[in-house]
Amino acid sequence: MEQATPDPERLWQPAPLEPLSHPDAGLESMMTENNFSLKKIEISVSEAEKRTGRNAMNMQETYTAYLIETRSVEHNDGQSVLTDSLWRRYSEFELLRNYLLVYYPHIVVPPLPEKRAEFVWHKLSADNMDPDFVERRRIGLENFLLRVASHPILCRDKIFYLFLTQEGNWKETVNETGFQLKADSRLKALNATFRVKNPDKRFIELKHYSDELQSVISHLLRVRARVADRLYGVYKVHGNYGRVFSEWSAIEKEMGDGLQSAGHHMDVYASSIDDILEDEEHYADQLKEYLFYAEALRAVCRKHELMQYDLEMAAQDLASKKQQCEELATGTVRTFSLKGMTTKLFGQETPEQREARIKMLEEQIKEGEQQLKSKNLEGREFVRNAWADIERFKEQKNHDLKEALISYAVMQISMCKKGIQVWTNAKECFSKM
Amino acid sequence: MSGGPPKALPSTGPQSLRDMPHPLAGSSSEEAVGGDSTPSPDLLTARSFGDKDLILPNGGTPAGTASPASSSSLLNRLQLDDDMDGETRDLFVTVDDPKKHVCTMETYITYRITTKSTRVEFDLPEYSVRRRYQDFDWLRNKLEESQPTHLIPPLPEKFVVKGVVDRFSEEFVETRRKALDKFLKRITDHPVLSFNEHFNVFLTAKDLNAHKKQGMALLTRVGESVKHVAGGYKLRNRPLEFAAIGEYLDTFALKLGTIDRIAQRIIKEEIEYLVELREYGPVYSTWSALEGELAEPLEGVSACIGNCSTALEELTDDMTEDFLPVLREYILYSDSMKSVLKKRDQVQAEYETKLEAVALKKEERPKVPADVEKCQDRMECFNADLKADMERWQNNKRQDFRQLLMGMADKNIQYYEKCLMAWESIIPLLQEKQEAK
């Protein structure tokens, strides 16, 4: 299924190269390899198909595969040519995203649609195989790819390109990058979060904001699902009027026709809610995307905290080495050290031993100072790049959510107009009783 | 009550009506299609059989019967010739101004009953009395006793589960007042019931309790005789039309019961929907506090949902106060009508049985004995009264339901219009471009 209106943001465009902390992203090589600087690309997830296969434990499983089609659009005539088409399942999307998270920690990486159906109101199925859920997921996956493709940095990633073009062997290629090893351990990150002393204030605020955002959107989605449930009930009970008016009209003379036709309108009213609520699901999906985006924001904050903590630890280590050196040189022992203890226990060391130690420390200090300098640089660069992307994200978020609210208001207006129409028709029937 | 010689029809009737302020002006009470003619005052005095001084507009004696006809059937026959004309109305009754009375023994509500009339039965042109529910109940019982061949309108339900409904809340009292007003207006519009003495006493007496104690024996001969019809006679052939009415009423009451249940269910669902909405709106407000550019749009959506919630509350209140009580009233109405039908059956059964008994005794001269004749009269009067009342009832019912259902549609339209306005007004706010920070 093609996107209705090609969004210029979706199309690949050459962008000025930006310095990245991870040179193995393969940016330059990819650019020349594939010559995408001249062509524009359209991406769509056009189909979903149920498949059966064998999983890692050789057990039969059922899963859904999605067809990704890539078209290149010629500049001049606007015609599109199908260049690539392959099938991917959800877990491969997850793999791609995890890779992007590791290699672009300063980027707010677009989220995937939910793995399992959550915030469902009673009529919707929570079953992953349910066709409505699969359909909404297809749209969500397409949205994810479009988000990545329209991101000025992410769009040029080689692994992303291969995801769209290389069906077989892609998983191996990703794993070969060894990104899993490069990933920061969760434990390390948690530790850093608690112990970091001087994170950038903006990141503290951002983390706080993303926590609140997540909480408020969750609450909103939960209540909205309940509201949908209740609204469904109200509309459907009116359907009973249809039947009873029909039965009543059978015993009436002059009143009969009016009652009968009014009953028909009650049936129309009752069945109108199905489409209304289906449309509203689209709004809920838009909110969900930003619920999951909050987690992506937090990931960037965590990375900063980790880097800052790393920096602080390196600085602390350097400071303590310098102090040790000074103590050895001046002969005073102000701080506790193992060497000091052993010296006390086993006797003083010789001047030669002391000299050796001082020299070693001085070397370590020199190394440490260089490391600190580069860590500092890294940290500042990270903050700069991350904040640029965060500003971009904020603009995107404000724009998207405003659009979502407008479309929600339009849905409500349409629902009200339908309601007025139906009841006006019913009133006319009653007036003819 | 004037018992003097027959007077001429008042020629100034319509004119004096024009001078009177019309207490029903602008009220939404149903227009009784059954006619509301002003029978000649003379006819009103002819309460007993055999009064040959009846002056009839058509001239001549009452057609058809050799035996004296009851006053009520005569009036009914006149009735069917008259068309409804608001200007011939000469009796207006209104129920309003509920007041709470706190006494040592009990607390209760009274309503003001205002009567304006040019009828001769009323000594004064205007009356204003206060009555409480049990007075209405007394009146209804008396009407049933004294006019057993007619359909007496229902009263709103007597018993209210204490603790569930507040008997003194504004909504309850207003709902009851409307129902009591409807009750009296239906009697007022009835060509026979409106002339009932108990009704007159109810409208005029300063001290109703004193009257109740007197236990006025003002039953009409018809009422007296029908009242004493013993049960236990088996009915042979129920005339088709009355069988049809019975069947109709059965199905009618059933359907109304279903509609009542559906309406209650809808209100329940709407209230639950309202509860969720009241939680939903404020979440947008909470969110708005986190945001910069989105703060106003989110706050706007929150306010919008709040407005829709208020509109929904108004809808459910209206339906509870105006829709449900009228449905219940009609269910009570059809119940009481069924018992009148049963009485009619009894009267016919008695007649048939007695007739049969006579036919068996072949020795009797072929003259029908007097008491069998009386039974026949009773039956024929009853049938005539009931038929006329049924027609009137059918017309009123049609008007009432037309109004009720149109009202329900209206309330829903108004609800959606309020919501539409709220959402439409917020679109410009949402589309506003943000000014440079």
Side-chain angles (χ1 to χ4, degrees):
Chain A
M1 188 195 80
E2 287 274 71
Q3 279 297 89
T5 42
D7 182 348
E9 275 211 349
R10 290 194 299 110
L11 307 177
W12 286 23
Q13 287 144 23
L17 298 179
E18 286 173 27
L20 287 171
S21 37
H22 298 278
D24 28 332
L27 194 78
E28 293 98 306
S29 58
M30 193 197 68
M31 281 294 283
T32 48
E33 231 175 275
N34 309 298
N35 210 19
F36 270 115
S37 49
L38 297 177
K39 291 192 181 147
K40 290 191 184 159
I41 303 296
E42 279 173 19
I43 307 172
S44 65
V45 176
S46 46
E47 277 173 49
E49 202 177 81
K50 225 188 218 168
R51 300 256 180 99
T52 48
R54 295 213 170 264
N55 66 7
M57 288 170 286
N58 207 30
M59 293 199 311
Q60 197 168 49
E61 58 167 359
T62 317
Y63 62 92
T64 311
Y66 301 87
L67 180 65
I68 304 173
E69 292 180 318
T70 315
R71 293 178 155 74
S72 74
V73 184
E74 296 295 327
H75 262 294
N76 302 322
D77 56 9
Q79 294 280 45
S80 73
V81 173
L82 185 68
T83 51
D84 290 282
S85 120
L86 41 70
W87 294 86
R88 295 260 183 240
R89 50 187 295 192
Y90 187 86
S91 56
E92 292 174 277
F93 281 85
E94 275 184 313
L95 194 58
L96 172 65
R97 187 166 188 271
N98 289 337
Y99 161 83
L100 292 173
L101 282 171
V102 170
Y103 272 95
Y104 302 90
H106 62 294
I107 302 286
V108 184
V109 177
L112 284 172
E114 54 193 353
K115 190 155 191 165
R116 264 160 268 287
E118 273 176 67
F119 306 111
V120 285
W121 59 282
H122 89 279
K123 200 210 156 205
L124 284 194
S125 169
D127 173 22
N128 281 3
M129 288 294 153
D130 180 71
D132 283 333
F133 176 76
V134 169
E135 172 61 14
R136 293 207 336 272
R137 193 191 249 191
R138 183 193 64 74
I139 295 171
L141 291 174
E142 185 178 274
N143 189 55
F144 167 74
L145 292 178
L146 294 174
R147 291 269 192 217
V148 175
S150 62
H151 191 286
I153 294 167
L154 296 178
C155 70
R156 290 175 287 152
D157 184 273
K158 178 175 182 174
I159 296 292
F160 174 59
Y161 169 71
L162 292 175
F163 181 86
L164 298 174
T165 57
Q166 182 190 72
E167 180 144 31
N169 250 9
W170 176 81
K171 265 167 81 173
E172 287 75 8
T173 312
V174 184
N175 289 327
E176 269 165 28
T177 62
F179 79 92
Q180 284 104 335
L181 298 170
K182 295 201 175 80
D184 298 313
S185 88
R186 252 327 230 229
L187 199 59
K188 236 175 97 186
L190 200 62
N191 186 45
T193 303
F194 282 121
R195 293 197 174 175
V196 68
K197 295 203 180 77
N198 260 340
D200 185 305
K201 278 212 168 53
R202 290 176 298 174
F203 282 96
I204 299 179
E205 276 169 26
L206 184 67
K207 199 167 79 143
H208 186 66
Y209 168 77
S210 62
D211 283 342
E212 305 263 282
L213 186 71
Q214 200 173 48
S215 160
V216 85
I217 297 185
S218 298
H219 189 193
L220 193 65
L221 286 170
R222 268 199 311 277
V223 184
R224 192 213 71 91
R226 293 206 303 262
V227 167
D229 244 332
R230 291 298 172 201
L231 192 61
Y232 184 80
V234 170
Y235 271 73
K236 286 300 176 188
V237 181
H238 277 87
N240 291 311
Y241 274 146
R243 193 178 54 243
V244 75
F245 282 169
S246 178
E247 291 166 2
W248 182 9
S249 72
I251 60 169
E252 296 291 342
K253 292 190 206 96
E254 302 113 332
M255 276 168 60
D257 287 336
L259 272 177
Q260 177 88 318
S261 42
H264 163 73
H265 290 297
M266 290 294 99
D267 286 332
V268 168
Y269 181 69
S271 59
S272 68
I273 191 65
D274 296 304
D275 285 342
I276 289 169
L277 287 177
E278 206 180 286
D279 285 344
E280 267 197 34
E281 276 314 306
H282 178 66
Y283 170 69
D285 284 339
Q286 289 175 294
L287 292 181
K288 265 183 223 172
E289 193 192 11
Y290 278 92
L291 173 68
F292 302 143
Y293 253 126
E295 178 55 46
L297 276 177
R298 268 230 295 286
V300 176
C301 295
R302 267 201 304 271
K303 183 66 181 180
H304 165 75
E305 283 170 344
L306 203 61
M307 289 179 83
Q308 179 66 14
Y309 179 69
D310 210 30
L311 186 68
E312 286 170 6
M313 287 293 104
Q316 197 176 63
D317 188 57
L318 185 68
S320 98
K321 282 207 167 78
K322 281 187 177 163
Q323 188 161 56
Q324 265 184 55
C325 203
E326 197 202 309
E327 284 171 6
L328 280 176
T330 58
T332 56
V333 180
R334 255 179 278 123
T335 57
F336 176 81
S337 74
L338 196 58
K339 199 66 190 170
M341 273 308 292
T342 53
T343 309
K344 279 217 159 82
L345 290 170
F346 301 114
Q348 286 273 355
E349 51 184 358
T350 66
E352 295 82 22
Q353 281 174 325
R354 208 161 55 127
E355 272 308 315
R357 269 212 299 140
I358 289 176
K359 209 162 178 175
M360 192 179 72
L361 273 174
E362 279 174 349
E363 266 180 42
Q364 282 180 347
I365 287 168
K366 213 157 134 197
E367 236 180 79
E369 273 174 345
Q370 273 206 356
Q371 261 196 12
L372 191 64
K373 207 167 159 192
S374 74
K375 274 196 161 90
N376 233 322
L377 208 67
E378 252 180 50
R380 278 208 298 272
E381 203 175 290
F382 176 89
V383 167
R384 189 165 55 89
N385 291 330
W387 211 256
D389 197 57
I390 286 162
E391 290 298 328
R392 181 205 61 81
F393 168 76
K394 276 188 192 162
E395 294 271 325
Q396 175 199 295
K397 176 205 77 174
N398 287 337
H399 173 266
D400 289 350
L401 288 176
K402 250 201 210 171
E403 289 294 314
L405 289 176
I406 290 173
S407 76
Y408 185 64
V410 167
M411 278 180 230
Q412 300 305 306
I413 287 170
S414 154
M415 179 170 91
C416 290
K417 285 188 174 164
K418 278 191 207 162
I420 291 171
Q421 184 66 59
V422 160
W423 282 104
T424 305
N425 292 342
K427 185 179 171 187
E428 217 186 286
C429 296
F430 290 138
S431 73
K432 299 202 180 110
M433 263 166 57
Chain B
M1 295 287 239
S2 64
K7 302 185 194 101
L9 277 167
S11 56
T12 55
Q15 278 174 7
S16 62
L17 271 175
R18 280 198 208 99
D19 292 336
M20 257 186 347
H22 196 316
L24 295 178
S27 80
S28 59
S29 62
E30 85 285 21
E31 301 161 67
V33 179
D36 192 46
S37 62
T38 314
S40 150
D42 312 58
L43 290 169
L44 300 178
T45 64
R47 289 253 164 231
S48 50
F49 285 154
D51 186 336
K52 300 279 194 292
D53 290 330
L54 299 174
I55 294 174
L56 307 167
N58 324 359
T61 51
T65 52
S67 57
S70 78
S71 58
S72 56
S73 68
L74 269 176
L75 288 169
N76 285 345
R77 270 181 237 150
L78 291 168
Q79 199 97 291
L80 299 171
D81 290 350
D82 295 330
D83 41 15
M84 181 190 64
D85 183 3
E87 288 197 12
T88 60
R89 274 202 192 182
D90 59 355
L91 176 64
F92 303 94
V93 179
T94 318
V95 178
D96 63 6
D97 191 33
K99 273 203 169 54
K100 192 156 140 182
H101 298 257
V102 183
C103 310
T104 39
M105 293 300 283
E106 55 174 347
T107 307
Y108 59 91
I109 307 266
T110 62
Y111 305 84
R112 179 177 66 188
I113 318 293
T114 311
T115 308
K116 291 190 167 90
S117 178
T118 53
R119 288 188 185 177
V120 179
E121 291 67 32
F122 294 94
D123 297 331
L124 302 172
E126 190 169 332
Y127 289 89
S128 180
V129 298
R130 295 209 76 93
R131 298 284 182 250
R132 55 187 289 192
Y133 183 93
Q134 65 187 35
D135 299 332
F136 284 82
D137 199 34
W138 168 87
L139 171 63
R140 190 170 191 283
N141 289 333
K142 284 294 177 205
L143 285 174
E144 270 192 330
E145 276 174 24
S146 56
Q147 313 275 176
T149 62
H150 287 287
L151 301 174
I152 316 295
L155 277 177
E157 274 153 14
K158 185 174 204 159
F159 297 108
V160 160
V161 182
K162 288 208 179 104
V164 174
V165 180
D166 178 10
R167 285 183 303 141
F168 303 109
S169 74
E170 257 186 61
E171 294 85 21
F172 178 79
V173 170
E174 175 59 17
T175 302
R176 208 177 228 202
R177 184 202 65 77
K178 282 194 210 144
L180 294 175
D181 185 77
K182 195 87 189 273
F183 169 73
L184 290 185
K185 285 190 161 68
R186 278 174 170 150
I187 297 174
T188 306
D189 290 342
H190 196 288
V192 175
L193 295 180
S194 62
F195 289 94
N196 184 285
E197 299 112 330
H198 302 286
F199 185 50
N200 187 297
V201 163
F202 176 88
L203 294 176
T204 60
K206 278 252 173 352
D207 182 2
L208 190 64
N209 288 328
H211 275 279
K212 288 187 198 175
K213 281 175 188 140
Q214 275 172 27
M216 295 185 294
L218 291 175
L219 300 171
T220 63
R221 295 274 294 269
V222 173
E224 199 52 69
S225 51
V226 172
K227 192 173 145 198
H228 290 137
V229 164
Y233 293 105
K234 230 173 65 175
L235 184 66
R236 289 291 173 79
N237 293 309
R238 189 178 287 115
L240 272 174
E241 56 186 332
F242 293 110
I245 291 175
E247 270 170 40
Y248 170 82
L249 285 177
D250 282 336
T251 312
F252 179 71
L254 219 69
K255 295 307 148 197
L256 280 197
T258 307
I259 292 174
D260 180 55
R261 276 192 301 280
I262 295 171
Q264 278 187 68
R265 181 66 192 277
I266 288 175
I267 291 172
K268 177 170 170 282
E269 294 284 339
E270 282 173 346
I271 288 173
E272 291 181 349
Y273 172 50
L274 181 64
V275 165
E276 300 298 350
L277 276 185
R278 290 235 184 263
E279 188 180 332
Y280 184 51
V283 181
Y284 282 97
S285 247
T286 308
W287 187 358
S288 148
L290 300 176
E291 297 287 342
E293 197 181 315
L294 290 176
E296 259 187 58
L298 287 169
E299 193 57 58
V301 170
S302 176
C304 203
I305 294 173
N307 289 338
C308 293
S309 305
T310 307
L312 181 61
E313 194 169 35
E314 283 163 15
L315 175 65
T316 54
D317 284 345
D318 281 348
M319 290 297 284
T320 307
E321 282 160 32
D322 296 336
F323 188 78
L324 291 181
V326 178
L327 273 185
R328 304 239 173 84
E329 218 173 79
Y330 260 92
I331 295 175
L332 292 172
Y333 215 157
S334 51
D335 284 344
S336 75
M337 283 160 73
K338 294 236 281 282
S339 43
V340 176
L341 278 176
K342 278 205 190 90
K343 275 193 236 145
R344 190 218 69 88
D345 283 351
Q346 283 306 306
V347 170
Q348 179 178 334
E350 190 190 350
Y351 166 65
E352 283 176 349
T353 309
K354 289 198 170 147
L355 190 66
E356 228 181 76
V358 166
L360 287 172
K361 297 185 197 164
K362 294 228 174 100
E363 319 91 45
E364 295 271 340
R365 279 164 294 168
K367 184 178 91 97
V368 179
D371 75 328
V372 179
E373 256 189 32
K374 267 197 210 143
C375 276
Q376 188 184 24
D377 281 345
R378 276 205 291 271
M379 182 187 76
E380 284 175 359
C381 291
F382 209 145
N383 289 352
D385 286 349
L386 202 52
K387 253 182 82 175
D389 272 11
M390 265 315 290
E391 240 183 79
R392 188 175 305 113
W393 181 86
Q394 283 284 11
N395 277 319
N396 288 347
K397 173 208 77 183
R398 185 177 165 199
Q399 294 299 326
D400 285 346
F401 276 97
R402 191 168 164 273
Q403 189 181 52
L404 183 72
L405 292 170
M406 281 177 74
M408 170 173 91
D410 252 332
K411 289 181 181 72
N412 277 280
I413 291 171
Q414 279 161 33
Y415 160 70
Y416 278 114
E417 280 178 345
K418 286 177 203 163
C419 291
L420 180 66
M421 201 166 72
W423 286 107
E424 279 184 334
S425 70
I426 206 208
I427 294 267
L429 172 70
L430 293 175
Q431 287 175 331
E432 223 171 56
K433 293 283 172 203
Q434 207 216 1
E435 310 87 50
K437 278 195 203 166

